[in-house]
Amino acid sequence: MSRDKATAAVGASIPKVDGAAKVTGTARYVDDLRVPGCWIGRTLRSDVPHGVLRAIRRRPGFDWDAVVVVTAADIPGANVVALIEDDQPALVPVGGRVRHVAEPLALVAAPTAELAAAALSHIEVDIDPLPAIHTIEASLAGDVLLHGDDNVFARYEIRRGGDIDAALASCDVVVEGTYTTGAQEQMYIEPQGMIAQWDGDAVRVIGSMQCPYYVHKALVRLFGTTGDRVVVTQAVTGGGFGGKEEYPSMIAAHAALLARAAGAPVKIVYDRAEDIAATTKRHPARVRHRLGLSRDGRTVACDVDVVLDGGAYVTLSPVVLSRAVLHAAGPYRFDHVRVVGRAVATNTPPHGAFRGFGAPQTTFAYERQMAKAARALQLDPIELRRRNMLRVGDVTATGQTLEFSVGSEAVLAAVAARAADPAQPAERLGTAAGEQRRGRGVALYFHGAGFTGSGEARLQGKATVATTPTGGFEVRASSTDIGQGAVTTFAQIAAAALGVDVARVTVAEPSTDRVPDSGPTVASRTCMVVGRVVERAAATLRDRLVAWAAERGMDAGDLCAVARAYAGTAGEAAETVTYEPPPGIQWDDATYTGAAYPVYGWAACLVDVAVDLDTYEVAIERCVHAVDVGKAIHPLIVKGQIEGGTLQALGWALWERVAYRDGRVVNASMTDCIIPTFWDAPEIDTILVEEPYPYGPHGAKGVGEIPMDGPAAAVANAIEDALGVAIDAVPALPERIERALRARMAV
């Protein structure tokens, strides 16, 4: 195959490599795997949000010989779920503090699920309750201390320009608002699940996960062992959205502890209620925002205070907060900026990673502010954004000069063109139309692709491309495919670099004994960062094989034939490449200044809504979403990412609410903790904009998270356009809209 034809595979929507197996049902998820002699594990959880665990007792009269029970006393290494801080135990020890409802206290395994459930029901615990806190306000008040002397897990601050209060005082218009967003459940179709099996002093774990090396690190700490005695493999995974980033370390730890005690393989698969009740969700947030503008509509100053509810343990809250803070000023020019962010402790299950990773919360706030500013200045909302958006050569709130790949103008122009065609009916402007009222909202936003600051340089992600005995090639990386198409994308990138047919490239199963650590599958980095490493590894391997062929007088035009010949004489040829940051990337963690990200994705969203004046239900009549992706390696996969993320964002905007009572999730089912279905999905007009990133494979940059960031603000802006009342919290449930209308009537 010619190199030109191979390169053409990039940009083509070829059949997904793993598509047939998933469509025909031959793909095997964790619960499909049959392991001879496998026991079933269950988890005993706390029923109180805060207290001291005094005792764990087995009731007499039950045959305990047929089951195993594990407590914290059985942990051979450090009783921690290793992540950023060692504050979260794998199991609460007797005498230790319980910090949230559904916290794991003990484990049970038995040869059958029925026996495991029976054993679980015969264990009693004594917990002395303590006062609990369940809101951001209560945590900040500090009457009950859960962390340090102020309940603050992490704090960051960004400053640019001079005195912020003086700058705002000098503005012609100042818009002030407070915005709240609730928890959101990832609701991946496949619940959390893991299987563990010991062979002597080595343990193998296979499960549903995003980040095998996270789990590997956690198990090494828990068992006080060495890395070579722990192997972690990703099974086919039915969705993650961040929910399978850090939590799988917990369930892997439990499965491995039980397997060690039972002397048999152990499988743990959560049912839906347990999954919703116990695992991480999007951080609830409160954002206070002051926006100052000149009379002609120029953004001058913004002052933002961000507080995230981190839940009971630190987990990933500092990293989520960092991204929330770094996106809080939005894609706009300011002379003066102050952003203060805090993540605080409460007695709910820990909140953690979720698509967007803190940016949707602050994007909701600043785009509501821009909509209000447009009203105050009587400017077209698109025009206000056009006047102030960052362009090439502009400087961000952290002092980063944008030198390339800035798609702000293109995405806003694309949406504006759709807004004008078809022409906007008069009734969309908020005029009554029968029993409905219609409105239009728009939002503009950006999202940093890859890890923040120097994260990628510290991680030094690696990937390998190797020959196979049959003249093919294999990509090896720990980056997982959780439905987003990484396997297909990697194959396309490697095939193009090698100059071979994409069918000649396979992607290895992510298993820590077979693949190097390319980093976690998070942060919109898989295609852009790891894809670039794969591209370089493939190109290096190609050069090596071509040179080898030349030394032997072989024709290197057919690289597969060369690879086959190489395998027959010298064995496997493999090239491993380590990520190298683009030149000029400087970031200061102490001052939060510099290049926060190597590049940004850019997006604009327009929605038209109709609000039923009897029920206050909101229908999305139209959604236009333009996203700058740098280069669409596989356009259909990229469009699928955007459409899925858009619907997830619309669900967060209108319908999805995780309801807590005294720290307990009270709607832990798919019936009550709803997500949009196909019936709720509007027609989504997806527009791909390509502003190439010079250091991404073929110009590609991250696309996974940005579709989640902005649609909620566009929906709230449209509702305000329709009804004339501000909706400053999501989800915009009918009762919330009704309250806003009633409050206006009372004024």
Side-chain angles (χ1 to χ4, degrees):
M1 187 178 184
S2 74
R3 188 174 179 80
D4 288 343
K5 287 183 178 179
T7 303
V10 167
S13 296
I14 64 173
K16 287 183 74 173
V17 170
D18 54 346
K22 290 180 176 176
V23 169
T24 60
T26 57
R28 289 288 176 262
Y29 297 81
V30 175
D31 213 18
D32 299 322
L33 299 174
R34 298 289 175 256
V35 180
C38 190
W39 287 28
I40 302 300
R42 292 286 184 266
T43 309
L44 181 71
R45 300 181 181 279
S46 165
D47 198 37
V48 302
H50 193 199
V52 177
L53 178 61
R54 294 301 183 193
I56 300 174
R57 292 190 302 276
R58 306 181 193 189
R59 288 178 185 160
F62 184 81
D63 182 7
W64 294 101
D65 293 337
V67 303
V68 295
V69 178
V70 167
T71 68
D74 300 305
I75 295 173
N79 182 13
V80 296
V81 182
L83 203 59
I84 293 175
E85 290 191 18
D86 289 344
D87 66 332
Q88 185 176 21
L91 292 167
V92 177
V94 173
R97 266 214 283 180
V98 173
R99 292 178 181 270
H100 65 88
V101 170
E103 181 156 20
L105 308 178
L107 307 167
V108 168
T112 67
E114 293 76 13
L115 186 56
L120 202 66
S121 69
H122 284 79
I123 299 178
E124 297 176 332
V125 298
D126 293 335
I127 300 175
D128 292 344
L130 295 169
I133 51 178
H134 303 300
T135 65
I136 286 172
E137 289 71 22
S139 182
L140 291 173
D143 295 334
V144 176
L145 287 180
L146 303 176
H147 184 88
D149 58 5
D150 58 2
N151 286 332
V152 176
F153 286 142
R155 186 182 190 280
Y156 304 115
E157 185 168 341
I158 296 172
R159 284 183 179 270
R160 176 174 173 77
D163 181 273
I164 191 68
D165 294 313
L168 285 165
S170 70
C171 290
D172 298 313
V173 174
V174 176
V175 178
E176 298 191 37
T178 298
Y179 303 91
T180 58
T181 61
Q184 186 183 20
E185 163 64 32
Q186 291 90 354
M187 208 67 89
Y188 27 71
I189 296 301
E190 181 205 22
Q192 302 268 0
M194 206 71 66
I195 300 171
Q197 185 168 10
W198 287 83
D199 181 8
D201 62 354
V203 63
R204 283 186 170 269
V205 170
I206 181 169
S208 183
M209 68 185 82
Q210 293 179 220
C211 314
Y213 275 95
Y214 276 15
V215 178
H216 184 270
K217 173 186 174 185
L219 293 179
V220 167
R221 289 288 308 281
L222 189 81
F223 290 98
T225 187
T226 55
D228 61 333
R229 290 184 169 83
V230 176
V231 177
V232 179
T233 304
Q234 184 220 11
V236 178
T237 296
F241 311 115
K244 293 173 184 171
E245 179 175 345
E246 72 269 36
Y247 197 84
S249 295
M250 174 74 83
I251 189 170
H254 292 170
L257 285 166
L258 285 170
R260 180 170 173 268
V266 169
K267 175 192 289 188
I268 299 177
V269 177
Y270 289 173
D271 63 25
R272 185 62 66 180
E274 183 177 26
D275 202 313
I276 294 176
T279 65
T280 58
K281 311 185 191 320
R282 184 183 304 286
H283 288 72
R286 186 198 73 191
V287 184
R288 291 177 174 154
H289 199 295
R290 293 192 294 166
L291 171 64
L293 306 97
S294 62
R295 200 175 310 282
D296 61 357
R298 184 174 68 86
T299 50
V300 176
C302 76
D303 182 21
V304 190
D305 178 66
V306 183
V307 188
L308 301 184
D309 178 350
Y313 294 105
V314 172
T315 63
L316 291 173
S317 288
V319 195
V320 176
L321 176 67
S322 173
R323 192 168 282 264
V325 165
L326 290 168
H327 289 76
Y332 301 111
R333 292 185 298 273
F334 288 101
D335 297 327
H336 309 274
V337 175
R338 178 174 67 187
V339 180
V340 177
R342 290 165 290 175
V344 299
T346 61
N347 289 114
T348 60
H351 297 113
F354 198 140
R355 195 177 204 167
F357 217 71
Q361 292 93 319
T362 50
T363 302
F364 180 73
Y366 71 69
E367 280 304 280
R368 288 291 295 126
Q369 289 285 88
M370 289 297 285
K372 292 177 181 178
R375 282 177 172 269
L377 292 162
Q378 296 185 323
L379 279 174
D380 178 84
I382 291 178
E383 175 58 24
L384 179 63
R385 289 167 171 83
R386 183 182 290 119
R387 292 183 186 183
N388 293 289
M389 63 190 178
L390 295 168
R391 295 174 168 85
V392 170
D394 284 330
V395 179
T396 69
T398 62
Q400 178 178 1
T401 301
L402 301 175
E403 297 178 347
F404 43 67
S405 191
V406 179
S408 54
E409 290 182 81
V411 297
L412 194 62
V415 163
R418 292 289 208 278
D421 181 20
Q424 187 178 19
E427 62 181 309
R428 291 193 186 281
L429 297 175
T431 310
E435 295 182 342
Q436 291 185 327
R437 197 163 286 184
R438 290 182 165 79
R440 170 169 288 176
V442 67
L444 174 70
Y445 35 101
F446 66 164
H447 192 99
F451 277 154
T452 300
S454 51
E456 296 290 356
R458 286 198 300 268
L459 176 65
Q460 295 191 315
K462 299 175 178 60
T464 299
V465 178
T467 56
T468 68
T470 57
F473 300 87
E474 183 178 70
V475 176
R476 299 169 189 164
S478 63
S479 304
T480 54
D481 195 323
I482 53 177
Q484 85 281 31
V487 168
T488 305
T489 303
F490 280 171
Q492 289 178 280
I493 292 170
L498 291 162
V500 303
D501 191 303
V502 70
R504 302 300 298 170
V505 180
T506 57
V507 178
E509 175 185 69
S511 184
T512 56
D513 62 342
R514 284 209 66 214
V515 301
D517 186 0
S518 60
T521 302
V522 301
S524 299
R525 63 183 296 278
T526 298
C527 178
M528 185 183 88
V529 174
V530 185
R532 175 69 164 176
V533 178
V534 168
E535 182 180 46
R536 290 175 50 218
T540 304
L541 179 61
R542 175 186 170 82
D543 291 346
R544 175 176 165 186
L545 291 175
V546 168
W548 183 85
E551 290 171 0
R552 286 154 183 79
M554 291 178 59
D555 178 9
D558 183 350
L559 200 69
C560 293
V562 176
R564 193 161 45 247
Y566 188 101
T569 57
E572 176 184 281
E575 292 291 342
T576 299
V577 168
T578 300
Y579 174 77
E580 294 178 1
I585 297 294
Q586 299 294 329
W587 172 252
D588 189 327
D589 278 318
T591 62
Y592 254 54
T593 57
Y597 300 97
V599 71
Y600 296 82
W602 305 80
C605 183
L606 177 146
V607 297
D608 290 335
V609 304
V611 185
D612 188 302
L613 296 182
D614 292 326
T615 65
Y616 302 114
E617 292 175 293
V618 178
I620 307 290
E621 296 195 319
R622 184 185 188 205
C623 180
V624 182
H625 209 168
V627 182
D628 168 24
V629 302
K631 169 69 179 178
I633 301 294
H634 187 297
L636 196 59
I637 285 177
V638 172
K639 281 197 169 188
Q641 281 276 69
I642 294 171
E643 290 175 4
T646 303
L647 188 58
Q648 209 163 32
L650 295 177
W652 188 52
L654 287 176
W655 304 294
E656 297 184 35
R657 183 173 73 102
V658 180
Y660 293 95
R661 185 179 303 134
D662 298 328
R664 180 194 317 277
V665 179
V666 295
N667 58 344
S669 72
M670 292 187 81
T671 304
D672 298 324
C673 190
I674 59 173
I675 60 172
T677 68
F678 76 94
W679 184 258
D680 305 300
E683 189 71 28
I684 299 172
D685 182 2
T686 302
I687 305 167
L688 299 184
V689 172
E690 295 182 328
E691 295 284 345
Y693 169 48
Y695 303 99
H698 300 267
K701 52 189 180 184
V703 70
E705 294 178 279
I706 191 170
M708 181 72 219
D709 288 358
V715 169
N717 293 344
I719 296 172
E720 184 174 22
D721 184 46
L723 302 178
V725 294
I727 302 298
D728 293 339
V730 290
L733 297 169
E735 53 267 38
R736 184 164 275 154
I737 294 173
E738 190 271 342
R739 283 197 298 270
L741 287 167
R742 189 149 38 89
R744 183 181 63 179
M745 293 171 65
V747 174

